[in-house]
Amino acid sequence: MTPEIGHFALALALALALVQSVLPIFGAARGNILWMQSARWSSLGQAFFMGFAFLALMQAFITSDFTVKNVVENSNSLKPMLFKVAGTWGSHEGSLLLWTLILTVFGAAVALFGSNIPLALRARTLSVQAWISVGFLTFMLLTSNPFDRVFPPPGDGQDLNPLLQDVGLAMHPPLLYFGYVGFSIVFSFAVAALIEGRVDAAWARWVRPWTLAAWMSLTAGIALGSWWAYYELGWGGWWFWDPVENVSFMPWLMGTALLHSAIVTEKRDAFKSWTILLAILTFSLSLLGTFIVRSGLLTSVHAFAVDPERGLYILGLLAVSIGGSLALFALRAPTMEPGGLFKPISREAGLLVNNLLLATATGIVLFGTLYPLFYEAATGGEKLSVGPPFFNASFIPVMLPLVFAMGLGPYLSWKRADLAGVLQRLRFVAVLAVLATLVTWYLAEGGPVLGYLSLMLAFWLFFSTLREWAMRIKLFEAPFPESLRRARNLPRSSHGMTLAHAGLAMAMFGFIGSTVWKSEEIVFVRPGTEISIAGFDVTFEGAERVRGPNYFADRGTLRVVRDGHYVTDLFPERRTYPVAQTTTTESAIRSTMAGDLYASIANPAAEDESAQGAWTLRILYEPLVNFIWIGSAMLVLGGGLSLSDRRLRVGAPRRKAAKPLALPAE
């Protein structure tokens, strides 16, 4: 009975979304306060019914209700409880339910916490948000009902994809969706502002917290997915330019540009059209990603490869959303006032360069992702692969100037900056960056020139960020208690910017180190085989069969020695899931700040007669790779620190009418 109630809750949510999509926006046009206020209650009602439906599906997974088709296809009675819960969003239907739930949660959050937003703008924003809800709720109810029954019910389920039965990936989709869908409310704000014909500093102040929250969540989701791929897939890499990785990365790049553009609109009343356009494009890229992974256009461990007819529905939704919003933008944008003027050397100009580079980088990733699909369609099915060589050759040269601009930008003043004075303050930073790179070159003993150039720019960003923060609090220039007082009084958003920029530099250390100085060996091994890599001597001592709750595994044992001293034992596994009839790799990793020693094993090789009875061992040394996760955490914490700034939580103050001057008595 619970699945039927969950299905009915979806229908009630759709009914409320239909009302919300019409009544508040007409109320704003007519000045009807009651109609505008209805958006608050319909938003809360939508979130309530969507939450109920989601919990109903989760209950079916927890109790292993195999009368529900979704549970049959994505669960099993032997599966650990955590992964039964994660199975709720592990399928196309379940993930779509989570997607729509988050969509309504963001609408409800604006209804609850947007009391400082003008009533008409809030009503229009929530109406636009309801338009999106209507699209996804009708898609779910008509083509992707998560509560479909199956009779007679089977004795057990088919199990969730074993690759997804991991703690990291259990949390990856919710974080990613909070980022994807979080940009929907920014899109709704942008369309509402275009309908209203008013974009100003106050609007940017209202939009920034929602943009920042979505960006933080998307950052955390991408980092968690990268970490999962690193230790779970057995390839020893953290990024593969997989199309589904790309479709999450593109909204992140555009959202980063949006975040910086909104700052200019708030501070200087400039970049209005640019900020609106970025808000539209960021969410459009989120919708594009949803279409790609659900249309059957590609097959990936990340994707929901379903029947293309469902993809056509999302394609139609994509066309209406993007086409309609861009048409409205083309109509309204020319009427927007240009805002504050600025010189070519200024903080505004620096942020403009930042946004243009980010938009160019997004375009490169978009081209590389979609080109194989267009090529296959144009050639009648001939396949083409666009992989790391293309992206590394085209994306990295665009991003390196961006890193340089990030180190320079915070030193520039608004409207007009003294470039000579800025460079004077940064001479010490440039010297430090060069010296740190030379020390690395001496220690590493070799490597490509581009690697050292990238590393020097990472040092430049790190040292310039710390220098700018130190200048703000007059560290080493004033008594320490005075510097401490200044640090306490500094806005949290300033601390957040410092932490985020330094975090990107830290992540770059990991990107560069694990790519440029990576060591790898792939060999056939038998008990007693010894391999030397990066100063470590690794001995394969054999493999044994072990059992898990819903799998059995071949577990290898590796003894690691360095300079004659015992270091650790590593236990890589090759797991087999009988129900799903799938095997997975469980890597063994010895992690330090200097780097990771990474090992994985494959089934005994059968093709090569000389390898009979042997195992395939893949062993790598990944220098500095943990800086990627440290830097990602700093990015998220920096965003959270900025979000906690009272100026963002309170929002823009309402303007009060001036009191009439009292005339002197005659």
Side-chain angles (χ1 to χ4, degrees):
M1 188 64 183
T2 302
E4 281 72 28
I5 298 175
H7 189 197
F8 184 59
L10 290 180
L12 292 176
L14 175 59
L16 283 174
L18 287 168
V19 172
Q20 184 183 326
S21 66
V22 176
L23 197 60
I25 201 166
F26 274 99
R30 298 186 178 187
N32 188 312
I33 294 177
L34 187 62
W35 288 9
M36 287 189 283
Q37 288 178 338
S38 70
R40 173 185 173 88
W41 303 110
S42 54
S43 295
L44 295 175
Q46 269 194 81
F48 172 79
F49 288 121
M50 287 304 305
F52 187 91
F54 185 77
L55 290 175
L57 183 61
M58 183 180 291
Q59 191 261 352
F61 272 90
I62 290 173
T63 59
S64 295
D65 183 355
F66 295 124
T67 66
V68 178
K69 183 180 178 182
N70 198 3
V71 179
V72 173
E73 294 177 348
N74 298 280
S75 190
N76 183 270
S77 59
L78 296 177
K79 193 165 66 171
M81 182 56 68
L82 172 63
F83 304 129
K84 285 185 178 182
V85 173
T88 309
W89 55 81
S91 64
H92 163 70
E93 293 82 4
S95 67
L96 190 61
L97 182 59
L98 177 61
W99 210 103
T100 314
L101 169 63
I102 296 172
L103 186 71
T104 60
V105 165
F106 270 96
V110 170
L112 283 175
F113 305 114
S115 58
N116 60 322
I117 302 173
L119 183 59
L121 177 63
R122 189 173 66 202
R124 290 187 173 101
T125 299
L126 292 176
S127 274
V128 175
Q129 190 78 353
W131 297 348
I132 306 170
S133 294
V134 168
F136 278 92
L137 281 166
T138 52
F139 174 54
M140 187 164 20
L141 287 169
L142 296 177
T143 71
S144 308
N145 179 16
F147 298 104
D148 277 345
R149 293 282 198 174
V150 56
F151 292 103
D156 212 334
Q158 299 171 15
D159 209 354
L160 181 67
N161 183 343
L163 284 174
L164 308 183
Q165 294 184 38
D166 179 86
V167 175
L169 209 67
M171 294 306 301
H172 166 65
L175 287 171
L176 207 61
Y177 291 171
F178 262 98
Y180 272 156
V181 186
F183 287 120
S184 68
I185 199 67
V186 183
F187 169 84
S188 298
F189 268 111
V191 174
L194 289 173
I195 295 171
E196 195 173 84
R198 178 176 178 266
V199 178
D200 55 15
W203 177 87
R205 177 74 66 85
W206 294 316
V207 164
R208 270 186 67 196
W210 305 103
T211 307
L212 191 55
W215 179 87
M216 283 170 52
S217 186
L218 190 56
T219 303
I222 291 173
L224 196 58
S226 179
W227 179 61
W228 166 80
Y230 172 68
Y231 73 78
E232 175 68 24
L233 296 183
W235 301 340
W238 41 268
W239 191 261
F240 307 98
W241 294 109
D242 181 278
V244 180
E245 291 176 333
N246 293 348
V247 298
S248 65
F249 189 42
M250 289 186 288
W252 186 88
L253 289 169
M254 199 63 79
T256 304
L258 169 62
L259 196 56
H260 289 82
S261 185
I263 293 173
V264 183
T265 304
E266 178 191 344
K267 301 287 187 183
R268 294 282 298 135
D269 201 29
F271 291 12
K272 296 177 183 178
S273 298
W274 184 237
T275 303
I276 290 288
L277 181 60
L278 286 173
I280 292 171
L281 293 179
T282 301
F283 183 61
S284 297
L285 288 170
S286 296
L287 288 178
L288 178 64
T290 303
F291 165 67
I292 287 177
V293 300
R294 297 172 192 278
S295 61
L297 286 176
L298 56 87
T299 301
S300 165
V301 69
H302 313 72
F304 301 101
V306 295
D307 106 53
E309 292 183 3
R310 294 179 177 179
L312 288 175
Y313 189 102
I314 299 181
L315 184 62
L317 181 62
L318 189 67
V320 171
S321 301
I322 297 178
S325 57
L326 289 179
L328 184 60
F329 175 79
L331 181 67
R332 293 286 196 173
T335 65
M336 295 181 189
E337 296 179 8
L341 302 177
F342 55 89
K343 295 292 184 179
I345 305 298
S346 63
R347 183 170 292 192
E348 293 96 323
L351 288 170
L352 180 60
V353 170
N354 167 84
N355 287 351
L356 290 174
L357 289 172
L358 284 168
T360 302
T362 306
I364 290 170
V365 179
L366 180 64
F367 174 80
T369 303
L370 296 184
Y371 180 74
L373 302 178
F374 291 130
Y375 182 84
E376 184 178 348
T379 58
E382 186 177 344
K383 293 187 180 295
L384 177 74
S385 176
V386 174
F390 165 79
F391 290 105
N392 292 338
S394 56
F395 181 81
I396 293 175
V398 173
M399 296 306 288
L400 292 182
L402 176 64
V403 175
F404 176 78
M406 286 179 63
L408 186 67
Y411 292 84
L412 301 173
S413 55
W414 295 107
K415 195 173 181 180
R416 174 187 292 180
D418 176 17
L419 184 59
V422 169
L423 295 178
Q424 177 78 13
R425 290 194 291 272
L426 285 171
R427 283 190 308 175
F428 178 65
V429 169
V431 171
L432 273 180
V434 171
L435 287 176
T437 306
L438 289 174
V439 170
T440 306
W441 173 76
Y442 174 77
L443 295 174
E445 300 179 349
V449 173
L450 182 60
Y452 286 106
L453 175 62
S454 303
L455 192 64
M456 185 171 65
L457 285 170
F459 280 124
W460 157 267
L461 176 59
F462 185 73
F463 290 136
S464 65
T465 299
L466 294 185
R467 168 73 171 154
E468 193 271 341
W469 181 79
M471 288 174 60
R472 280 175 175 264
I473 65 172
K474 293 193 173 181
L475 189 63
F476 307 125
E477 297 177 15
F480 184 73
E482 171 66 13
S483 296
L484 196 60
R485 184 190 65 82
R486 285 176 171 270
R488 284 198 303 266
N489 294 336
L490 205 62
R492 291 182 185 177
S493 58
S494 296
H495 290 301
M497 180 195 74
T498 299
L499 191 59
H501 284 195
L504 181 59
M506 295 286 280
M508 285 184 66
F509 295 146
F511 298 154
I512 297 163
S514 62
T515 301
V516 174
W517 293 288
K518 179 178 182 177
S519 302
E520 181 176 7
E521 296 285 345
I522 303 176
V523 294
F524 294 126
V525 293
R526 294 181 176 87
T529 303
E530 186 174 303
I531 308 100
S532 295
I533 183 170
F536 294 95
D537 295 316
V538 182
T539 304
F540 181 71
E541 297 188 340
E544 61 177 338
R545 177 63 58 93
V546 297
R547 297 196 65 86
N550 60 337
Y551 65 85
F552 61 85
D554 294 305
R555 176 184 294 169
T557 300
L558 302 174
R559 183 178 176 83
V560 182
V561 175
R562 187 168 195 172
D563 298 328
H565 299 288
Y566 169 79
V567 176
T568 189
D569 288 328
L570 298 177
F571 302 98
E573 293 182 3
R574 188 70 173 177
R575 293 182 178 176
T576 300
Y577 292 78
V579 175
Q581 297 183 348
T582 304
T583 59
T584 66
T585 299
E586 295 295 319
S587 304
I589 305 173
R590 186 244 183 189
S591 291
T592 65
M593 291 301 295
D596 281 3
L597 186 64
Y598 178 106
S600 63
I601 60 171
N603 290 333
E607 296 81 4
D608 190 342
E609 292 184 2
S610 64
Q612 291 296 323
W615 293 84
T616 302
L617 175 66
R618 184 189 194 106
I619 188 162
L620 307 94
Y621 184 69
E622 300 262 7
L624 306 180
V625 70
N626 289 302
F627 281 86
I628 297 175
W629 328 127
I630 294 170
S632 299
M634 289 172 66
L635 281 166
V636 176
L637 289 174
L641 199 56
S642 296
L643 192 60
S644 70
D645 194 313
R646 184 177 181 275
R647 294 176 303 168
L648 290 185
R649 287 185 286 110
V650 171
R654 290 194 179 95
R655 295 176 179 174
K656 295 182 180 179
K659 295 181 180 179
L661 295 175
L663 296 176
E666 294 183 359

